[in-house]
Every structure is written in C-alpha cells, then in structure tokens.
Amino acid sequence: METISIIVISCLLTVARLCCAQEPTIFNCPDDIVKSANLGQTTVDVAWTPPTATVGNMDAILSFRSHDPGYPLPVGVSFVTYTFISPDDPNAKSSCEFEVQITAVDVLSPVISSCPDSFTARYPLGAESATASWPEPTATDDSGAAFLHGKTNNPGDSFYLWTDRHEVTYTFVDAADNIARCTFYVTFEAVDNFPPEVHDCPQTIEVEVDPSQNGSFVTWEGPYVDDNSGRYDVIQQGPYQKGSFFPIGLASVITTYVDPVGLISVCSIDVIVIQVDRLPPTIKCPSDITVGVAPGEERTAVKWSAPRATDNSGHVTLQEQTHSSGDIFYVNEPDEVYYWYKDSSGNEAKCSFIVNVVEDTEPPRFFGCPESIKRTVSSDVDGVNIDWTRPLLVDNTDVVDVIYRSHDQGTAFYSGVTNVIYMAADSAGNEAECRFQVEITIDPLLPSPTNSTGSTSQARSDGSLGPTLALVALTIILLSINLVTLMFLCCKLTSSVGLRTLDREVPHNYVGKSGAENGSNIRPKEQGQRLPEVPSVPTVETSYMELGVTTNVEGPYYMQPK
C-alpha cells in the first residue's frame, strides 16, 4: 500500500511539471553585425560574444548554434542562430538569431615602393641655397591603381639653407581614398671646393719716368679678392708690393691668397718702369719790344738777349728762328720773332715775341724830381754828405736810359749852391733833364761838431735851448716832407704805365745823340729852371713797391736813376 502511494505521488509531480514547463530566457543576444572584406577576399573571420539562457534558477541547455564566434563567414549575409531548451522539457525552448553582413570594400592603403632613405647633400661653403636630387618613389594598390596625390619637393629643387635638415613627403591615394605617405629627410653639409676668387688682377703695369729719375713709387687698382668662407690669408712673395718704389726695368709682384682649407689663388703682376722724356724744353722768352726812332727814319736795328732754353735731359738745340738780334725792323710794321727748340727726345718748345718800331717824338719825362735841398752847418764842417730820393723816368718806348748824372746820392757837398743834374734819352734820341740844387750855408754861430764826420746841420752851442729846439723842429719837418715824397714815389701807376729802375752806373762824361762826348749835343737847362710837370699822370693806386725793383707792366716806363 505504501509503495502504491509513492508511485502515485511521483506521477502527480511529473504531470504537474509537464503541464507547467517554462521556456528558457536568453541573455546577451548579439545585434546584427556588419563587416567589410577587402577586395578579392571571400570570407571574413567574424567574432562575437555568445548569448546565454536560464530557466528559473537553472541554466538552459544550448541545443543548437549555427556558427561559432571567429568562424569564417562568406561575403554576403549570414544568419547566426542559438537555440536553448529547458532542462525539464526539451520542447520548452528559445532561440537567439542575428545577422552578419559582410561587404567587399577597399580598406587597404596603397603600397609604396622605393621610398628613398634620408640622405646628406653637400653644398659650396658660403652659398645661400643648394640643390638635392633623389629617385622618386612609386605605389601600387589592391584596387589596381594608386595615384600620387602630392609631394613637397621635386628632385633638383633648390633649398634655402636657413636650416640644414629639410623634410620631403610624397602622398599616394587609391580610389577608396586610402592614403599612404613616403617621408624622408635631406640634410645639407657645407663643403669648400672653391679657391679664393681674384678679380681685376692687372697683368702688366708700365710706368714712364723722367730720365733724371732712377725709379718710381707705383700703385694700382685691384686686385679684389673674395672667398666663400669669408676669410683668406695673403702671402706676398718678393721685395715689391703695391706702393713700393720700383727701379728702372722689370719687377714682378706675386701675391698668393689662401682660404681656410688650403685652396689657393695667385695674382702675378709685372711692373715695368721706363725712362721716357716727355717734358719739353723750358724757354725764358723776351717780352714784346717797342723801339722808337726819330721822325723820318724808316727802319732801325733792334737787339735783344736771345731766349735761353733748358731741358731736363741737358740737351736742347735751336731748330729754327725767324730773326736774330740786331736785325733790321721797319717803322709801323710789327713783326713776330719766333724761336723753335727741340730736346734729344724730340720734345718741342716755341717762343715768340713782337718787335714794333715806332716814330718817337715824345721825350722821356722825369717823375718826382727832388726839390732843392738846403743845409746849414758850422764853420768847422768840411763837406756834408747829402742824400735824396732818386727820380723816376717814364717813356713811351722800351729803350730809355740815363745818359748823364752829375752827382751820386750821398756825395759830399760844400759851401754854396751846387746844381745836381740827371739827363736821359730814349732810342729815338729824345732827351729829358731833372735838375735841382743843393745849398750848403755856413753859420759861424753854430758850435763845433763833436763828430767831424757828421753830415747834418749842427745846433748852436750858446747854452740856450731855443735855437736847438728850433733846429730839431726844422729837421723833423724836412724828414716828414721826404717821407711823404718817398711814399708817393713808391706807388704803382695803374694804367699802361710800368715802373723800372736803372741798374748801372753812368759816367760823368756822357755821349749825346750826335755822338759827341761830354754832352756837346745836350743842352743843359739854365740854373734854377724846373722841368714842366708831367701831364696826364694816370690815376694812382696805392701799391707800394721797393725802390730799384723792375715791374712786369709794359711801357711806357718810369725809371729811377741811380
């Protein structure tokens, strides 16, 4: 009975479990999966997380799965199914299904071949830019074609050297816009392969010097040197360099330029110094000559000092002359006198002046003929030395001379009145006279002089100062008058008038224009008679001159006799 009860209860429980069986609950069923396959690929390994299932507090039993995770699935759409059943009832089951879609697409980048390695390029030292070259890379793609999309540089491009390292990039793409890049670096290194550059190096320099010189200091322009390093050394060979003294003949100047790596350049110059006479002779040529003749005369002989020619060579010869000193020249026919000289090197010099013969009826004129001179001396004085300012002489021709002078300056004069006479004549025989008196008076009241050789008037010695002061005042007045006269005579006349002074002695016996001695044809003026004033004296410009100095102004001339 008891056994029957157990069987009944077991049957009831089985019936109850079958009647009330529960389907499994699935967890983590994957979503649909989309994958890409490369072109030409037939399958793709697809992975997922497998789902799980439970029935109550029990795990459901996996009764079926169509694919395992990571299993290769074909290109296209695949359905993956997981089925779970209840442990109590195989008919109580649940399924998990999801879709795996595999599409064939191009996902691979192009493949680049021959991408250059980074390399170093060299450039000349001192350059601001340099070039570099390389083999260009290529690319392939599974789609069948890859295209060069761009590049930063081309082979042979010039690179600025503000940096030594430059990046070069090539970019390739395929039809699916997959990108591949080739990148390498070009590093530049400076090298010096060039010697210093020498510009404007003169090959030969010729210098001419005077025959009296034994050489010359010689300099020249250039050469100009530069080097890509910016530095170089200069080595001078031999004793000569720019600016040296070079002797007559050939001398070589050799200069070597060396850069920091030892590369050299040379400038060689031959300096030739030659003695050549290029200077013409120097001639001291007479000035133009004007000679006067008496009315009615048609010609006269004119003399002059022949030109003097000198030359640095020491050798000069007269080649030609049109006239000689002493030749005959005619009135109112000015003629040019011409001399031609040549030295041993063929250098020439010429000299010319005009000789003009004119009818001269105008006599010379004395200018500044002294006033009469008076002196008072004591009875013990034996002769007084009297001095005066020499008169000037003017004439319209170049030939005028003092032919008679009765007394010299500083001559001793004695008691009484003495006539001092100057007489002059020009080349036409026209004459002029300057006459003044020297009067010496004896005053017995004057004291004897302490110096017997004194040449001035002596003061009285009666013990009073009155006469002495009067004599001093008189002396001062006379000196002032002489000083004013001297300053006036030292002025240079500014028109065509020039001043000359005589420079030779004239004997007391003289020759008149007729040739007779002792002035038989010269008519002295009466004692005390004065020459008329010189008419039409040009305006005076104050320009002081030393007495006895000949000016360069042409005639008519004022002459101051000795």
Side-chain angles (χ1 to χ4, degrees):
M1 196 64 176
E2 202 174 287
T3 302
I4 295 172
S5 297
I6 292 172
I7 292 172
V8 171
I9 294 171
S10 175
C11 289
L12 290 174
L13 291 173
T14 303
V15 171
R17 186 169 60 249
L18 293 173
C19 292
C20 301
Q22 184 178 1
E23 293 181 351
T25 302
I26 299 175
F27 300 96
N28 300 322
C29 184
D31 295 329
D32 292 342
I33 298 173
V34 178
K35 290 289 186 180
S36 297
N38 294 326
L39 293 178
Q41 191 176 359
T42 58
T43 62
V44 176
D45 294 337
V46 181
W48 59 83
T49 301
T52 60
T54 60
V55 178
N57 56 0
M58 298 183 297
D59 291 330
I61 298 171
L62 177 64
S63 62
F64 175 77
R65 65 171 175 266
S66 60
H67 301 85
D68 289 325
Y71 188 81
L73 296 179
V75 173
V77 179
S78 298
F79 294 96
V80 179
T81 301
Y82 280 78
T83 301
F84 294 91
I85 62 174
S86 173
D88 295 328
D89 184 359
N91 294 319
K93 58 183 178 182
S94 297
S95 296
C96 166
E97 292 185 355
F98 59 93
E99 183 180 296
V100 177
Q101 183 177 356
I102 299 175
T103 304
V105 294
D106 186 2
V107 295
L108 295 179
S109 298
V111 177
I112 299 175
S113 59
S114 304
C115 183
D117 296 328
S118 296
F119 64 93
T120 298
R122 291 175 172 80
Y123 66 92
L125 186 65
E128 296 182 353
S129 62
T131 60
S133 297
W134 54 85
E136 293 195 286
T138 59
T140 58
D141 190 69
D142 54 2
S143 66
F147 306 95
L148 178 63
H149 181 67
K151 53 186 175 181
T152 58
N153 299 91
N154 291 306
D157 274 357
S158 179
F159 294 82
Y160 287 103
L161 300 176
W162 52 270
T163 180
D164 292 338
R165 192 168 182 259
H166 294 263
E167 181 182 272
V168 180
T169 300
Y170 283 75
T171 301
F172 295 90
V173 297
D174 60 14
D177 291 333
N178 297 305
I179 297 175
R181 290 183 175 87
C182 164
T183 299
F184 59 94
Y185 294 90
V186 180
T187 301
F188 287 94
E189 180 181 66
V191 294
D192 188 358
N193 294 324
F194 299 97
E197 295 184 4
V198 180
H199 308 279
D200 299 332
C201 176
Q203 300 299 312
T204 303
I205 298 174
E206 291 189 0
V207 178
E208 296 180 355
V209 298
D210 190 84
S212 62
Q213 297 176 291
N214 59 359
S216 175
F217 290 95
V218 182
T219 188
W220 53 85
E221 292 293 330
Y224 305 101
V225 182
D226 57 65
D227 188 71
N228 51 12
S229 68
R231 297 182 297 113
Y232 57 88
D233 294 324
V234 179
I235 301 175
Q236 196 74 48
Q237 300 177 8
Y240 303 109
Q241 57 185 349
K242 181 191 293 187
S244 295
F245 183 85
F246 289 80
I248 302 299
L250 170 65
S252 296
V253 178
I254 301 175
T255 307
T256 303
Y257 304 92
V258 185
D259 70 7
V261 298
L263 300 173
I264 66 172
S265 295
V266 177
C267 172
S268 180
I269 305 171
D270 289 335
V271 178
I272 304 173
V273 180
I274 307 172
Q275 288 180 325
V276 178
D277 182 9
R278 302 286 186 188
L279 295 177
T282 300
I283 305 176
K284 187 175 181 180
C285 192
S287 302
D288 292 346
I289 300 172
T290 299
V291 178
V293 296
E297 294 185 13
E298 297 181 353
R299 62 181 185 176
T300 187
V302 180
K303 294 185 178 181
W304 59 83
S305 296
R308 289 186 299 170
T310 58
D311 189 68
N312 55 355
S313 66
H315 302 283
V316 60
T317 57
L318 177 63
Q319 300 295 309
E320 181 182 341
Q321 67 182 90
T322 58
H323 300 79
S324 298
S325 177
D327 279 358
I328 299 299
F329 291 82
Y330 291 87
V331 173
N332 297 327
E333 295 183 11
D335 206 350
E336 182 177 19
V337 179
Y338 171 85
Y339 285 78
W340 174 30
Y341 293 89
K342 183 183 292 187
D343 65 13
S344 56
S345 297
N347 301 303
E348 300 177 357
K350 299 175 183 179
C351 161
S352 66
F353 55 94
I354 302 297
V355 174
N356 189 21
V357 178
V358 298
E359 286 189 355
D360 183 11
T361 60
E362 181 179 349
R365 286 170 291 173
F366 282 99
F367 183 71
C369 189
E371 298 289 341
S372 294
I373 301 172
K374 295 183 179 182
R375 294 287 187 271
T376 300
V377 298
S378 66
S379 58
D380 294 335
V381 174
D382 185 17
V384 181
N385 295 329
I386 302 298
D387 203 353
W388 56 84
T389 301
R390 288 177 295 170
L392 301 178
L393 185 61
V394 63
D395 191 61
N396 62 337
T397 66
D398 294 331
V399 182
V400 63
D401 204 353
V402 172
I403 58 175
Y404 174 73
R405 180 175 62 245
S406 63
H407 298 80
D408 291 324
Q409 293 165 280
T411 299
F413 289 81
Y414 301 91
S415 176
V417 177
T418 304
N419 290 322
V420 178
I421 302 172
Y422 284 83
M423 299 192 71
D426 61 18
S427 58
N430 301 303
E431 299 173 356
E433 179 183 276
C434 166
R435 178 190 295 263
F436 61 95
Q437 293 179 338
V438 176
E439 182 179 353
I440 306 299
T441 303
I442 303 298
D443 187 352
L445 298 179
L446 288 177
S448 299
T450 57
N451 184 355
S452 61
T453 61
S455 61
T456 60
S457 301
Q458 305 299 314
R460 295 177 183 272
S461 60
D462 56 0
S464 64
L465 294 177
T468 302
L469 293 177
L471 182 59
V472 170
L474 178 60
T475 302
I476 293 175
I477 292 173
L478 292 175
L479 290 175
S480 299
I481 293 174
N482 288 337
L483 179 61
V484 171
T485 302
L486 177 63
M487 293 178 62
F488 178 76
L489 295 178
C490 288
C491 298
K492 182 177 70 176
L493 302 181
T494 59
S495 67
S496 62
V497 178
L499 297 179
R500 289 186 178 176
T501 58
L502 300 177
D503 57 1
R504 60 184 181 273
E505 294 294 332
V506 177
H508 285 255
N509 56 332
Y510 55 89
V511 178
K513 64 179 179 179
S514 65
E517 292 190 2
N518 297 322
S520 60
N521 199 31
I522 295 179
R523 297 171 299 282
K525 299 185 184 302
E526 297 299 328
Q527 182 172 349
Q529 181 182 358
R530 301 298 302 159
L531 287 174
E533 296 295 327
V534 177
S536 302
V537 177
T539 303
V540 175
E541 174 190 17
T542 303
S543 177
Y544 297 104
M545 59 172 286
E546 295 183 10
L547 293 178
V549 176
T550 302
T551 67
N552 291 324
V553 182
E554 297 302 324
Y557 296 94
Y558 285 97
M559 306 185 68
Q560 190 175 52
K562 292 184 179 179

